[in-house]
mmCIF file of all heavy atoms in Angstrom:
data_model
loop_
_atom_site.group_PDB
_atom_site.id
_atom_site.type_symbol
_atom_site.label_atom_id
_atom_site.label_comp_id
_atom_site.label_asym_id
_atom_site.label_seq_id
_atom_site.Cartn_x
_atom_site.Cartn_y
_atom_site.Cartn_z
ATOM 1 N N GLY B 1310 246.464 271.120 34.391
ATOM 2 C CA GLY B 1310 245.422 271.038 35.410
ATOM 3 C C GLY B 1310 245.813 270.076 36.515
ATOM 4 O O GLY B 1310 245.727 270.404 37.707
ATOM 5 N N MET B 1311 246.290 268.903 36.149
ATOM 6 C CA MET B 1311 246.716 267.946 37.172
ATOM 7 C C MET B 1311 247.987 268.431 37.845
ATOM 8 O O MET B 1311 248.227 268.159 39.015
ATOM 9 C CB MET B 1311 246.972 266.568 36.534
ATOM 10 C CG MET B 1311 245.732 265.738 36.300
ATOM 11 S SD MET B 1311 244.413 265.958 37.453
ATOM 12 C CE MET B 1311 244.733 264.889 38.727
ATOM 13 N N GLY B 1312 248.810 269.171 37.089
ATOM 14 C CA GLY B 1312 250.042 269.713 37.666
ATOM 15 C C GLY B 1312 249.742 270.596 38.859
ATOM 16 O O GLY B 1312 250.475 270.598 39.856
ATOM 17 N N LEU B 1313 248.655 271.350 38.795
ATOM 18 C CA LEU B 1313 248.259 272.158 39.940
ATOM 19 C C LEU B 1313 247.881 271.268 41.114
ATOM 20 O O LEU B 1313 248.241 271.525 42.252
ATOM 21 C CB LEU B 1313 247.060 273.027 39.555
ATOM 22 C CG LEU B 1313 247.367 274.492 39.309
ATOM 23 C CD1 LEU B 1313 246.210 275.159 38.624
ATOM 24 C CD2 LEU B 1313 247.656 275.181 40.637
ATOM 25 N N LYS B 1314 247.153 270.210 40.817
ATOM 26 C CA LYS B 1314 246.704 269.314 41.884
ATOM 27 C C LYS B 1314 247.869 268.596 42.542
ATOM 28 O O LYS B 1314 247.844 268.293 43.731
ATOM 29 C CB LYS B 1314 245.744 268.265 41.292
ATOM 30 C CG LYS B 1314 244.365 268.801 41.039
ATOM 31 C CD LYS B 1314 243.589 268.782 42.320
ATOM 32 C CE LYS B 1314 242.300 269.557 42.177
ATOM 33 N NZ LYS B 1314 241.721 269.887 43.461
ATOM 34 N N LEU B 1315 248.879 268.262 41.725
ATOM 35 C CA LEU B 1315 249.965 267.494 42.337
ATOM 36 C C LEU B 1315 251.124 268.378 42.760
ATOM 37 O O LEU B 1315 252.144 267.900 43.243
ATOM 38 C CB LEU B 1315 250.432 266.364 41.397
ATOM 39 C CG LEU B 1315 251.162 266.636 40.101
ATOM 40 C CD1 LEU B 1315 252.616 266.939 40.352
ATOM 41 C CD2 LEU B 1315 251.095 265.393 39.229
ATOM 42 N N ALA B 1316 250.962 269.706 42.596
ATOM 43 C CA ALA B 1316 251.964 270.644 43.095
ATOM 44 C C ALA B 1316 253.321 270.465 42.420
ATOM 45 O O ALA B 1316 254.351 270.399 43.072
ATOM 46 C CB ALA B 1316 252.104 270.536 44.611
ATOM 47 N N ILE B 1317 253.304 270.415 41.082
ATOM 48 C CA ILE B 1317 254.567 270.524 40.333
ATOM 49 C C ILE B 1317 255.177 271.868 40.690
ATOM 50 O O ILE B 1317 254.459 272.844 40.869
ATOM 51 C CB ILE B 1317 254.284 270.470 38.806
ATOM 52 C CG1 ILE B 1317 253.851 269.072 38.415
ATOM 53 C CG2 ILE B 1317 255.499 270.880 38.014
ATOM 54 C CD1 ILE B 1317 253.621 268.904 36.937
ATOM 55 N N TYR B 1318 256.486 271.954 40.720
ATOM 56 C CA TYR B 1318 257.112 273.063 41.401
ATOM 57 C C TYR B 1318 256.484 274.458 41.262
ATOM 58 O O TYR B 1318 256.041 274.997 42.255
ATOM 59 C CB TYR B 1318 258.616 273.124 41.140
ATOM 60 C CG TYR B 1318 259.236 274.295 41.833
ATOM 61 C CD1 TYR B 1318 259.303 274.312 43.225
ATOM 62 C CD2 TYR B 1318 259.687 275.404 41.147
ATOM 63 C CE1 TYR B 1318 259.816 275.396 43.894
ATOM 64 C CE2 TYR B 1318 260.206 276.485 41.810
ATOM 65 C CZ TYR B 1318 260.265 276.488 43.185
ATOM 66 O OH TYR B 1318 260.760 277.551 43.844
ATOM 67 N N PRO B 1319 256.407 275.059 40.074
ATOM 68 C CA PRO B 1319 255.903 276.445 40.174
ATOM 69 C C PRO B 1319 254.412 276.504 40.498
ATOM 70 O O PRO B 1319 253.895 277.573 40.754
ATOM 71 C CB PRO B 1319 256.205 277.037 38.787
ATOM 72 C CG PRO B 1319 256.436 275.879 37.899
ATOM 73 C CD PRO B 1319 256.700 274.679 38.695
ATOM 74 N N LEU B 1320 253.725 275.377 40.484
ATOM 75 C CA LEU B 1320 252.290 275.371 40.774
ATOM 76 C C LEU B 1320 252.007 274.843 42.177
ATOM 77 O O LEU B 1320 250.932 274.348 42.460
ATOM 78 C CB LEU B 1320 251.553 274.499 39.742
ATOM 79 C CG LEU B 1320 251.869 274.779 38.276
ATOM 80 C CD1 LEU B 1320 251.147 273.788 37.374
ATOM 81 C CD2 LEU B 1320 251.465 276.195 37.905
ATOM 82 N N HIS B 1321 252.995 274.964 43.059
ATOM 83 C CA HIS B 1321 252.877 274.295 44.361
ATOM 84 C C HIS B 1321 252.371 275.216 45.450
ATOM 85 O O HIS B 1321 252.285 274.809 46.607
ATOM 86 C CB HIS B 1321 254.249 273.780 44.783
ATOM 87 C CG HIS B 1321 255.168 274.903 45.136
ATOM 88 N ND1 HIS B 1321 255.742 275.693 44.182
ATOM 89 C CD2 HIS B 1321 255.558 275.392 46.328
ATOM 90 C CE1 HIS B 1321 256.473 276.613 44.772
ATOM 91 N NE2 HIS B 1321 256.378 276.471 46.073
ATOM 92 N N ARG B 1322 252.028 276.457 45.125
ATOM 93 C CA ARG B 1322 251.839 277.459 46.170
ATOM 94 C C ARG B 1322 250.785 277.100 47.215
ATOM 95 O O ARG B 1322 250.846 277.544 48.357
ATOM 96 C CB ARG B 1322 251.519 278.823 45.545
ATOM 97 C CG ARG B 1322 252.731 279.517 44.970
ATOM 98 C CD ARG B 1322 253.748 279.808 46.070
ATOM 99 N NE ARG B 1322 253.152 280.508 47.200
ATOM 100 C CZ ARG B 1322 252.995 281.810 47.245
ATOM 101 N NH1 ARG B 1322 253.410 282.558 46.247
ATOM 102 N NH2 ARG B 1322 252.428 282.383 48.283
ATOM 103 N N TRP B 1323 249.788 276.317 46.819
ATOM 104 C CA TRP B 1323 248.727 276.008 47.777
ATOM 105 C C TRP B 1323 249.191 275.020 48.838
ATOM 106 O O TRP B 1323 248.687 274.975 49.949
ATOM 107 C CB TRP B 1323 247.519 275.417 47.057
ATOM 108 C CG TRP B 1323 247.832 274.171 46.281
ATOM 109 C CD1 TRP B 1323 248.224 274.101 44.991
ATOM 110 C CD2 TRP B 1323 247.815 272.845 46.766
ATOM 111 N NE1 TRP B 1323 248.453 272.811 44.632
ATOM 112 C CE2 TRP B 1323 248.217 272.012 45.696
ATOM 113 C CE3 TRP B 1323 247.503 272.255 47.999
ATOM 114 C CZ2 TRP B 1323 248.315 270.625 45.832
ATOM 115 C CZ3 TRP B 1323 247.599 270.886 48.125
ATOM 116 C CH2 TRP B 1323 248.006 270.086 47.047
ATOM 117 N N LEU B 1324 250.182 274.212 48.503
ATOM 118 C CA LEU B 1324 250.474 273.032 49.316
ATOM 119 C C LEU B 1324 251.023 273.351 50.709
ATOM 120 O O LEU B 1324 250.500 272.836 51.707
ATOM 121 C CB LEU B 1324 251.417 272.107 48.533
ATOM 122 C CG LEU B 1324 251.691 270.745 49.155
ATOM 123 C CD1 LEU B 1324 251.843 269.699 48.083
ATOM 124 C CD2 LEU B 1324 252.914 270.761 50.021
ATOM 125 N N PRO B 1325 252.061 274.185 50.837
ATOM 126 C CA PRO B 1325 252.610 274.391 52.183
ATOM 127 C C PRO B 1325 251.567 274.913 53.170
ATOM 128 O O PRO B 1325 251.471 274.431 54.297
ATOM 129 C CB PRO B 1325 253.725 275.412 51.959
ATOM 130 C CG PRO B 1325 254.112 275.246 50.536
ATOM 131 C CD PRO B 1325 252.854 274.884 49.821
ATOM 132 N N GLY B 1326 250.753 275.873 52.711
ATOM 133 C CA GLY B 1326 249.747 276.414 53.617
ATOM 134 C C GLY B 1326 248.747 275.354 54.040
ATOM 135 O O GLY B 1326 248.444 275.195 55.225
ATOM 136 N N ALA B 1327 248.256 274.601 53.045
ATOM 137 C CA ALA B 1327 247.231 273.603 53.351
ATOM 138 C C ALA B 1327 247.768 272.557 54.326
ATOM 139 O O ALA B 1327 247.108 272.202 55.297
ATOM 140 C CB ALA B 1327 246.759 272.936 52.063
ATOM 141 N N TYR B 1328 248.986 272.074 54.090
ATOM 142 C CA TYR B 1328 249.531 271.041 54.970
ATOM 143 C C TYR B 1328 249.846 271.600 56.359
ATOM 144 O O TYR B 1328 249.778 270.895 57.350
ATOM 145 C CB TYR B 1328 250.821 270.459 54.379
ATOM 146 C CG TYR B 1328 250.623 269.519 53.205
ATOM 147 C CD1 TYR B 1328 249.407 269.428 52.560
ATOM 148 C CD2 TYR B 1328 251.657 268.728 52.769
ATOM 149 C CE1 TYR B 1328 249.227 268.591 51.481
ATOM 150 C CE2 TYR B 1328 251.490 267.864 51.678
ATOM 151 C CZ TYR B 1328 250.272 267.809 51.044
ATOM 152 O OH TYR B 1328 250.107 266.970 49.978
ATOM 153 N N THR B 1329 250.245 272.882 56.381
ATOM 154 C CA THR B 1329 250.675 273.442 57.665
ATOM 155 C C THR B 1329 249.503 273.665 58.601
ATOM 156 O O THR B 1329 249.580 273.390 59.793
ATOM 157 C CB THR B 1329 251.411 274.771 57.438
ATOM 158 O OG1 THR B 1329 252.410 274.568 56.462
ATOM 159 C CG2 THR B 1329 252.057 275.252 58.718
ATOM 160 N N TYR B 1330 248.391 274.206 58.061
ATOM 161 C CA TYR B 1330 247.329 274.632 58.970
ATOM 162 C C TYR B 1330 246.188 273.627 59.094
ATOM 163 O O TYR B 1330 245.310 273.812 59.926
ATOM 164 C CB TYR B 1330 246.801 276.002 58.528
ATOM 165 C CG TYR B 1330 247.891 277.034 58.549
ATOM 166 C CD1 TYR B 1330 248.344 277.649 57.404
ATOM 167 C CD2 TYR B 1330 248.507 277.347 59.767
ATOM 168 C CE1 TYR B 1330 249.373 278.573 57.440
ATOM 169 C CE2 TYR B 1330 249.538 278.257 59.816
ATOM 170 C CZ TYR B 1330 249.978 278.866 58.646
ATOM 171 O OH TYR B 1330 251.000 279.761 58.699
ATOM 172 N N ALA B 1331 246.175 272.592 58.293
ATOM 173 C CA ALA B 1331 245.130 271.576 58.442
ATOM 174 C C ALA B 1331 245.334 270.844 59.768
ATOM 175 O O ALA B 1331 246.435 270.840 60.314
ATOM 176 C CB ALA B 1331 245.208 270.596 57.282
ATOM 177 N N PRO B 1332 244.260 270.228 60.308
ATOM 178 C CA PRO B 1332 244.452 269.394 61.498
ATOM 179 C C PRO B 1332 245.486 268.302 61.220
ATOM 180 O O PRO B 1332 245.626 267.863 60.074
ATOM 181 C CB PRO B 1332 243.064 268.782 61.721
ATOM 182 C CG PRO B 1332 242.118 269.691 61.025
ATOM 183 C CD PRO B 1332 242.865 270.291 59.885
ATOM 184 N N SER B 1333 246.184 267.862 62.254
ATOM 185 C CA SER B 1333 247.307 266.925 62.065
ATOM 186 C C SER B 1333 246.936 265.708 61.235
ATOM 187 O O SER B 1333 247.657 265.314 60.314
ATOM 188 C CB SER B 1333 247.805 266.441 63.419
ATOM 189 O OG SER B 1333 248.174 267.522 64.203
ATOM 190 N N ALA B 1334 245.795 265.098 61.568
ATOM 191 C CA ALA B 1334 245.410 263.870 60.870
ATOM 192 C C ALA B 1334 245.177 264.159 59.395
ATOM 193 O O ALA B 1334 245.525 263.355 58.528
ATOM 194 C CB ALA B 1334 244.155 263.280 61.500
#
Side-chain angles (χ1 to χ4, degrees):
Chain B
M1311 279 328 273
L1313 256 166
K1314 283 278 169 197
L1315 69 79
I1317 290 183
Y1318 179 68
L1320 310 176
H1321 70 285
R1322 283 298 308 276
W1323 58 270
L1324 187 145
Y1328 285 13
T1329 309
Y1330 300 115
S1333 303

